[in-house]
Amino acid sequence: MDAVTCLRVDGVTKSFGGVTAVDDVTFGIDGGVVHAIIGPNGAGKTTLINLLSGVYRPTRGRIVFDSRELTHAPAHAFGAAGIARTFQTPQVFGNMSVVENVMTGRHRLLRHALWPTLVHARSLARAERDSRAHAQALLRLLGLADQAEASPAALSFGAQKRLEIARALASEPALLLLDEPAAGLNATEAREIGRVIRHLAERGVGVVLVEHDMRLVMGVSDRILVLQDGRCLCEGSADDVRNDARVIDAYLGAGDGHA
Amino acid sequence: MDSSVHVPATASSARPALARRAARHRLLVALAVVAGALPPLVGNGYFYDVAILVAFNAVVCVGLNLLIGYAGQVSLGHAGFYGLGGYGTALLASKYAWPSLLALGAAAAAVALIAFVVARPILKLRGHYLAMATLGLGIIVSIVLATEDRITGGPDGMQVPPLAVAGVAVSGELAWYAIAVGTLLAAVWIASNLVASPAGRALRALHTSEVAAQVAGIDVARYKLLAFVLSAALAALAGGLAAFHAGFVTPATASFLRSIEFVTMVVFGGMASTAGAIVGAAVLTLLPQVLTALRDYETIVFGAILVATMIFLPRGIVPALARLARGTRWMR
């Protein structure tokens, strides 16, 4: 994948009634770049992720992905276009096995003509085998290969978060949105998540990382966007942001000691 | 990745493709064996009457289970589609003298089209609202069937000519038994194929988390629509066949109580289990036959079974038994 700008967010605003959760945010995310979004609680980070994945529609502004206008598109169009995401609280599908969860993530790359589905055509059977093999490989990458046939309910919290990443990767996304992937994980698990993030960026995937774990953020991010009260406080390379007086003032220095 | 992460050891080794395929067809084979073994064992006229009835109900439940059990969308109006299938078939076969199979197919297709049209606004609703809308839909159908007496014969219903295949009238209980069981096997085959496909996973996914399904690129509305239309078509097909078998149709076939019976069968048998849908249909079709003394209280008995199932066996009888049999191992 080339390192072209894959997502443009232009003046995006989201209001809920009188509350403006995200206010006039503009930035771009390139392929192969890890772009962290940080900010205090309530700054609008998750709202922004919800806007970027089509879960919310912006009140104002535009979202363009891969030169496709997605501003008013439904959430499934974002997924189908190659934007995958995980959730702060894992939203795994409890009524299917771990490997089937991952196969579901591959939905956009599978064919769904009705007739082959109903008669279980040979072409479908072959595609299913390939899809399962691909899912197994992702489970190996995320250290879940042994749980492939288990119920996701039997997985630990950390494993469920890794399952969500595997499911998101199954769609071979151009852009991956991670909403606090390290929250609730121990230090070793968080390091492993960091390793996976870098691995993806090297393969050209754009990664948006919303995270409170500053060690992870500073360790993997190429660029950082700092949100405060829904507004973009500053945006730039990791080093620039780390040394920005406003950021230190508003967040890092006066924060709760994560930094 | 980090092997020190603690994960409960519930994993089994990956099943090879062949075993998965066998699992998909296990129910089909089991059903064919049971259906083939029963006639020589208990092949009296009464058995055939009940068994044919069971098979027709099971066809409805296999379809309805796709909607309720897999996609998690409740319908309290599927008897409406069953009734429309019966009346549509009856009208085409009697008033317009269409060949039986053509009448049956056209009626099922027309009902699928009706379901497609009404589903768009209805499936935007969720939970209780969806249940109420489908309830209203079923009641409207049953009122129309009862009051449009110039077309439908009103509350007395209408006659249906005998089923003829290639010009030969189907007669005899064994022939009807074969048709009913054959239709059920076909419905099970289609449902199993759907469940094991990307579309089946999409249905299960939107059942658990619509938002997670959507961000995976699943057009949630489209898959709800698919399950709704497919289940309506299967109900209509069963309704049409039942009309041929009975020789008449009445508005009672489309009644609200019939809709509740179908839902009870699916819930009792086990949601998201095709075998459960069949067992539910069998048990709850047989029950009134066995407990003839309770004839007047049938509705109360069905209600009690529905409530008891939700309280004591929320997963339904077949998944609960299967879980017992397999210990705590995960099963679909």
Side-chain angles (χ1 to χ4, degrees):
Chain A
M1 262 173 266
D2 336 311
V4 291
T5 299
C6 57
L7 185 81
R8 287 287 332 159
V9 180
D10 194 5
V12 160
T13 297
K14 178 67 186 176
S15 308
F16 299 98
V19 182
T20 304
V22 168
D23 193 358
D24 195 21
V25 169
T26 298
F27 72 115
I29 301 151
D30 298 335
V33 170
V34 179
H35 207 127
I37 299 174
I38 61 171
N41 285 328
K45 303 185 296 293
T46 294
T47 304
L48 188 54
I49 289 269
N50 280 333
L51 288 165
L52 299 187
S53 56
V55 175
Y56 293 158
R57 311 268 170 92
T59 312
R60 271 193 307 281
R62 290 179 71 205
I63 296 171
V64 178
F65 177 68
D66 212 9
S67 67
R68 286 176 56 184
E69 174 82 46
L70 284 180
T71 310
H72 302 292
H76 65 83
F78 281 69
I83 300 178
R85 72 167 283 185
T86 65
F87 296 86
Q88 226 176 84
T89 315
Q91 304 250 355
V92 293
F93 304 128
N95 53 357
M96 56 179 94
S97 67
V98 165
V99 68
E100 284 176 315
N101 264 269
V102 181
M103 290 165 79
T104 305
R106 204 168 172 72
H107 190 84
R108 79 175 184 119
L109 300 174
L110 303 175
R111 296 184 321 130
H112 318 288
L114 186 58
W115 187 248
T117 293
L118 295 185
V119 301
H120 200 79
R122 205 175 286 267
S123 62
L124 184 97
R126 203 176 317 113
E128 282 291 276
R129 266 199 305 279
D130 294 347
S131 160
R132 186 173 288 264
H134 183 264
Q136 300 277 12
L138 281 173
L139 288 176
R140 274 195 296 280
L141 176 71
L142 275 303
L144 291 165
D146 290 344
Q147 284 81 37
E149 299 293 337
S151 162
L155 300 184
S156 68
F157 185 79
Q160 287 193 12
K161 299 207 89 157
R162 282 183 278 140
L163 171 56
E164 275 215 323
I165 296 175
R167 184 178 67 193
L169 293 180
S171 68
E172 296 179 17
L175 182 65
L176 176 64
L177 315 173
L178 299 170
D179 195 356
E180 300 200 14
L185 303 194
N186 63 37
T188 325
E189 287 176 314
R191 254 200 317 279
E192 288 298 333
I193 295 286
R195 190 181 60 83
V196 172
I197 290 172
R198 278 320 312 175
H199 170 81
L200 292 172
E202 277 155 28
R203 285 161 176 248
V205 179
V207 179
V208 173
L209 173 68
V210 166
E211 186 52 65
H212 280 297
D213 181 339
M214 278 308 128
R215 198 164 1 162
L216 177 62
V217 169
M218 293 304 171
V220 302
S221 305
D222 301 302
R223 296 186 73 80
I224 296 177
L225 170 83
V226 186
L227 276 184
Q228 193 186 17
D229 298 329
R231 287 175 171 280
C232 177
L233 188 67
C234 82
E235 200 262 343
S237 72
D239 283 338
D240 291 349
V241 169
R242 203 199 313 257
N243 299 320
D244 190 293
R246 292 168 301 172
V247 177
I248 293 167
D249 206 36
Y251 185 51
L252 296 177
D256 46 6
H258 276 308
Chain B
M1 204 165 165
D2 177 24
S3 56
S4 71
V5 177
H6 173 73
V7 178
T10 55
S12 59
S13 60
R15 291 184 293 168
L18 205 65
R20 264 193 311 280
R21 189 164 153 190
R24 196 157 51 80
H25 295 308
R26 199 162 46 203
L27 174 61
L28 213 55
V29 172
L31 200 59
V33 167
V34 170
L38 281 176
L41 294 175
V42 281
N44 55 43
Y46 180 68
F47 159 78
Y48 284 116
D49 277 348
V50 176
I52 291 164
L53 205 56
V54 166
F56 290 153
N57 284 339
V59 169
V60 179
C61 291
V62 165
L64 194 55
N65 180 46
L66 292 174
L67 183 69
I68 298 181
Y70 286 100
Q73 311 297 309
V74 174
S75 169
L76 298 180
H78 261 56
F81 298 126
Y82 182 87
L84 280 178
Y87 272 90
T89 306
L91 277 171
L92 292 174
S94 62
K95 287 205 173 163
Y96 300 96
W98 283 25
S100 303
L101 292 183
L102 189 62
L104 191 64
V111 170
L113 187 65
I114 292 171
F116 179 82
V117 172
V118 298
R120 296 221 159 240
I122 280 185
L123 289 175
K124 288 207 172 111
L125 305 170
R126 287 174 201 200
H128 303 313
Y129 298 100
L130 175 66
M132 291 307 291
T134 53
L135 171 70
L137 179 70
I139 289 177
I140 290 169
V141 169
S142 94
I143 288 175
V144 168
L145 292 178
T147 51
E148 286 296 317
D149 49 1
R150 275 179 306 149
I151 304 168
T152 65
D156 296 335
M158 61 187 293
Q159 297 284 326
V160 188
L163 178 73
V165 179
V168 182
V170 172
S171 67
E173 42 209 14
L174 190 61
W176 265 109
Y177 180 73
I179 289 171
V181 169
T183 308
L184 176 58
L185 287 173
V188 168
W189 183 65
I190 284 177
S192 312
N193 287 343
L194 181 73
V195 168
S197 76
R201 282 194 301 273
L203 290 179
R204 282 182 282 165
L206 72 90
H207 187 176
T208 341
S209 170
E210 282 200 19
V211 67
Q214 280 171 329
V215 301
I218 293 167
D219 185 346
V220 164
R222 185 177 162 231
Y223 284 97
K224 285 184 184 176
L225 184 73
L226 171 67
F228 192 76
V229 170
L230 197 58
S231 64
L234 283 173
L237 185 68
L241 278 171
F244 272 128
H245 180 243
F248 65 92
V249 278
T250 68
T253 55
S255 70
F256 166 58
L257 289 176
R258 279 293 277 163
S259 288
I260 297 296
E261 279 179 31
F262 289 139
V263 172
T264 310
M265 288 168 182
V266 170
V267 172
F268 172 77
M271 287 191 271
S273 158
T274 302
I278 297 165
V279 169
V283 171
L284 295 183
T285 308
L286 288 170
L287 204 62
Q289 313 286 336
V290 179
L291 303 175
T292 42
L294 292 175
R295 191 89 203 138
D296 296 339
Y297 305 101
E298 200 181 312
T299 311
I300 298 175
V301 171
F302 266 78
I305 289 172
L306 188 55
V307 170
T309 308
M310 293 314 286
I311 294 173
F312 300 110
L313 291 171
R315 292 166 63 109
I317 188 93
V318 167
L321 288 177
R323 201 142 72 135
L324 264 181
R326 296 192 194 187
T328 54
R329 226 194 88 186
W330 168 250
M331 56 155 307
R332 55 188 84 201

